[in-house]
């Protein structure tokens, strides 16, 4: 099997082919209910043995077979890539023309929550030849297993792993939870838990999953995560973090999840880790994401360290674009900073930008993504209220603690949704 390249590529969320409807063996209900697809079944028991090679070798072997068959729009392994000198070690890739090969998409950038639109491109229109396998929970089975062919249960919407035909890295795939349920691009507990299980099954520190909300450079309004292998530590994974001491406000908040803040990094963010169970970690992170969605705050998520560490980045770059607050110099690069860019893996479209890339230029781009310190602190409080905690420094006596508990019990959130600063009806056209 081909070795994972040491360093390589990036951009975000282009997907699969131009397959439409059931004109060809697609993922729609009409086709899936009579189809057989490979099936990977994993154990939900976090103490079950994990093989570092089983899922990885299977996924990469099938991904390479699709490359051999010519399903990708270009050879991502031929793209020039380098690590920029400097303490952060930002990674840049030159991928000239990639943005010209993308399917034109447009959506409202001022709404994180938007209804699923079956008339627009979605993953039920993907050809089955782009599917690597179903990814299903086998409960507490002793160990994971793989079947080369298995029927699709029409009563259960399958989770699908498919190639990204415009990859930004070796092994770039899409995880599509409950594909037939046509869930719009919004986080729920099921989706986060499934992504954590996939990270655990891969059991490889160089395999990460990412998520982009609408308004944070998701390009398809159909629930999905991205994942790929990059055999180098991402800059955000090397960044210093500062643990936050939290006071639990509700008994059900006792899930053992630790929360930290990124330090000395251009994008402000929170880091979630540990948890009594993987379900507890998924529950806390999904509540944090749901809070951002309900408050119309775009965000990106990076799942790292075999699913043990999750980075959450509220962001505002698209909002600044819509308001004309991004410099022309940055706009000319045509970089849309989504989860991989924010994590320090940046795809550039012009050779000039690639050759002149420096730590200062990368930092300048990512700093535009970040919320201001004041706004970040405000958003952080929304998140903490949603997960039933408060920073210990804010609870100075029993009277204040009781008041905070009472407020937190009101629908689990003590804050009103925040009005968007976008101009109404703003569109992003990619």
């Amino acid at each position: 099997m081909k070795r994972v390249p040491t360093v390589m590529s990036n951009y975000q969320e282009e997907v699969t082919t131009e397959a439409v409807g059931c004109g060809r063996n697609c993922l729609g209900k009409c086709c899936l209910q009579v189809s057989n697809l490979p099936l990977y079944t994993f154990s939900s028991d976090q103490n079950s043995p994990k093989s570092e090679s089983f899922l990885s070798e299977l996924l990469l072997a099938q991904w390479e077979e699709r490359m051999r068959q010519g399903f990708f729009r270009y050879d991502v392994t031929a793209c020039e890539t380098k690590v920029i000198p400097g303490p952060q070690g930002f990674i840049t890739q030159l991928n000239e023309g990639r943005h010209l090969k993308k399917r034109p998409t447009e959506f409202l950038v001022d709404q994180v929550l938007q209804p699923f639109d079956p008339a627009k491109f979605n993953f039920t229109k993907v050809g089955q030849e782009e599917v690597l396998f179903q990814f299903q929970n086998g409960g507490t089975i002793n160990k994971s297993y793989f079947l080369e062919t298995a029927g699709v249960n029409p009563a259960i919407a399958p989770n699908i792993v498919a190639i990204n035909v415009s990859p930004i890295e070796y092994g770039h795939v899409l995880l599509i939870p409950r594909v037939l349920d046509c869930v719009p691009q919004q986080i729920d507990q099921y989706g986060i838990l499934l992504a954590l299980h996939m990270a655990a099954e891969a059991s490889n520190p160089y395999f990460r999953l990412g998520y982009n909300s609408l308004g944070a450079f998701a390009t398809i309004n159909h629930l999905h995560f991205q994942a790929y292998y990059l055999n180098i530590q991402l800059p955000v994974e090397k960044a210093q973090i500062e643990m936050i001491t939290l006071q639990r406000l509700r008994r059900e908040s006792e899930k053992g999840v630790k929360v930290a803040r990124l330090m000395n990094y251009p994008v402000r963010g929170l880091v979630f880790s540990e948890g009594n169970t993987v379900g507890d970690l998924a529950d806390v992170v999904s509540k944090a994401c749901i809070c951002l969605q309900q408050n119309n705050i775009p965000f990106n998520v990076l799942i790292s360290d075999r699913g043990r560490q999750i980075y959450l980045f509220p962001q505002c770059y698209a909002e600044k674009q819509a308001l004309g607050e991004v410099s022309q110099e940055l706009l000319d690069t045509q970089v849309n900073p989504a989860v991989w860019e924010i994590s320090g893996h940046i795809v550039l479209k012009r050779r000039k930008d690639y050759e002149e890339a420096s730590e200062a230029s990368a930092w300048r781009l990512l700093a535009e993504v970040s919320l201001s310190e004041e706004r970040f602190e405000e958003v952080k409080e929304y998140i903490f209220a949603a997960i039933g905690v408060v920073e210990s420094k804010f609870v100075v006596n029993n009277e204040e603690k009781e008041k905070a508990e009472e407020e937190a019990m009101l629908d689990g959130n003590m804050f009103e949704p925040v009005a968007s600063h976008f101009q109404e009806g703003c569109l992003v056209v990619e």
Side-chain angles (χ1 to χ4, degrees):
M1 181 176 295
K2 185 181 194 175
R3 216 165 75 99
V4 180
T6 302
V7 188
M8 227 169 236
S9 68
N10 186 356
Y11 184 48
Q12 75 270 356
E13 199 141 347
E14 173 63 356
V15 281
T16 42
T17 69
E18 305 297 330
V20 177
C22 53
R24 45 168 277 209
N25 214 17
C26 69
L27 290 182
K29 289 183 181 180
C30 56
C31 294
L32 270 189
Q33 62 187 1
V34 294
S35 297
N36 290 315
L37 292 172
L39 171 65
Y40 186 101
T41 302
F42 63 89
S43 171
S44 60
D45 181 358
Q46 64 188 58
N47 296 317
S48 65
K50 306 295 182 188
S51 168
E52 185 169 328
S53 60
F54 186 39
L55 177 61
S56 292
E57 289 186 2
L58 175 67
L59 186 152
L60 292 175
Q62 294 211 27
W63 191 89
E64 289 181 354
E65 177 61 18
R66 301 308 191 279
M67 175 178 277
R68 187 189 68 78
Q69 294 172 349
F71 285 108
F72 296 99
R73 293 178 176 170
Y74 51 82
D75 180 6
V76 70
T77 65
C79 294
E80 296 178 48
T81 301
K82 65 182 179 182
V83 176
I84 299 174
Q88 300 291 335
F90 292 116
I91 305 156
T92 56
Q93 178 206 49
L94 176 62
N95 198 329
E96 294 176 292
R98 181 182 189 272
H99 59 298
L100 300 176
K101 301 171 187 175
K102 292 190 62 181
R103 178 186 300 105
T105 58
E106 64 176 33
F107 56 87
L108 291 168
V109 73
D110 59 343
Q111 296 178 19
V112 174
L113 297 179
Q114 299 181 38
F116 181 85
D117 184 350
K120 293 185 178 180
F121 180 83
N122 63 78
F123 298 112
T124 67
K125 300 177 182 181
V126 167
Q128 290 187 21
E129 64 274 12
E130 297 175 15
V131 174
L132 302 187
F133 45 80
Q134 303 174 66
F135 186 68
Q136 300 299 111
N137 190 338
T140 56
I141 58 175
N142 289 330
K143 65 177 183 178
S144 305
Y145 64 87
F146 178 73
L147 300 176
E148 291 188 3
T149 182
V152 177
N153 186 344
I156 303 174
N159 309 308
I160 294 295
V161 176
I163 61 170
N164 185 325
V165 298
S166 295
I168 62 176
E169 190 45 78
Y170 181 74
H172 192 170
V173 296
L174 303 169
L175 172 64
I176 311 162
R178 310 191 311 272
V179 63
L180 293 180
D181 286 350
C182 296
V183 180
Q185 184 72 343
Q186 50 191 259
I187 288 287
D188 58 16
Q189 201 267 357
Y190 179 92
I192 281 284
L193 182 58
L194 186 70
L196 293 185
H197 278 306
M198 187 175 188
E201 284 295 310
S203 192
N204 185 322
Y206 299 121
F207 180 80
R208 295 94 166 179
L209 290 99
Y211 175 88
N212 302 316
S213 79
L214 297 184
F217 301 106
T219 59
I220 304 296
N221 189 21
H222 191 174
L223 180 59
H224 65 289
F225 295 80
Q226 300 181 59
Y228 62 67
Y229 292 83
L230 181 67
N231 197 19
I232 188 174
Q233 194 173 22
L234 290 173
V236 75
E237 294 170 332
K238 298 184 290 184
Q240 178 186 353
I241 62 172
E242 180 180 84
M243 298 306 300
I244 301 173
T245 304
L246 299 172
Q247 175 72 45
R248 309 289 169 179
L249 297 180
R250 301 189 293 272
R251 181 173 297 177
E252 63 269 26
S253 301
E254 296 289 346
K255 296 181 180 293
V257 175
K258 294 185 177 180
V259 185
R261 176 177 174 165
L262 273 175
M263 305 296 292
N264 303 318
Y265 197 73
V267 185
R268 295 177 176 87
L270 295 175
V271 187
F272 299 82
S273 60
E274 299 190 19
N276 299 327
T277 67
V278 65
D280 286 336
L281 181 57
D283 186 57
V284 169
V285 173
S286 63
K287 285 179 178 176
C289 294
I290 290 168
C291 169
L292 294 178
Q293 290 168 173
Q294 292 175 340
N295 283 280
N296 202 31
I297 301 169
F299 64 94
N300 309 88
V301 176
L302 175 72
I303 298 174
S304 175
D305 191 21
R306 303 177 177 91
R308 299 170 187 159
Q309 194 137 288
I310 304 177
Y311 297 81
L312 177 59
F313 306 97
Q315 72 140 293
C316 60
Y317 191 85
E319 178 179 344
K320 288 182 177 179
Q321 278 184 305
L323 296 174
E325 296 176 357
V326 178
S327 72
Q328 191 60 47
E329 179 186 5
L330 290 181
L331 292 175
D332 287 344
T333 67
Q334 302 178 67
V335 174
N336 291 327
V339 61
W340 306 119
E341 285 78 14
I342 290 171
S343 301
H345 189 199
I346 305 170
V347 166
L348 298 171
K349 314 321 194 297
R350 304 185 303 181
R351 178 165 291 279
K352 171 181 179 292
D353 297 325
Y354 179 77
E355 292 177 347
E356 296 177 0
S358 65
E359 180 153 307
S361 64
W363 188 287
R364 189 162 54 250
L365 167 68
L366 296 183
E368 288 294 326
V369 177
S370 184
L371 302 185
S372 67
E373 178 65 23
E374 180 181 6
R375 177 65 171 148
F376 180 78
E377 287 295 320
E378 182 182 14
V379 170
K380 186 178 69 173
E381 292 308 309
Y382 304 156
I383 291 171
F384 286 172
I387 64 177
V389 300
V390 64
E391 283 193 70
S392 291
K393 64 182 180 181
F394 295 126
V395 181
V396 296
N397 56 47
N398 288 335
E399 182 179 343
E400 289 191 8
K401 180 181 177 182
E402 289 173 4
K403 182 179 178 181
E405 288 176 345
E406 182 179 336
E407 291 175 327
M409 288 302 290
L410 299 175
D411 298 324
N413 194 331
M414 66 176 73
F415 296 95
E416 293 295 323
V418 180
S420 171
H421 299 292
F422 288 115
Q423 299 172 10
E424 186 168 349
C426 288
L427 287 174
V428 105
V429 180
E430 299 184 69

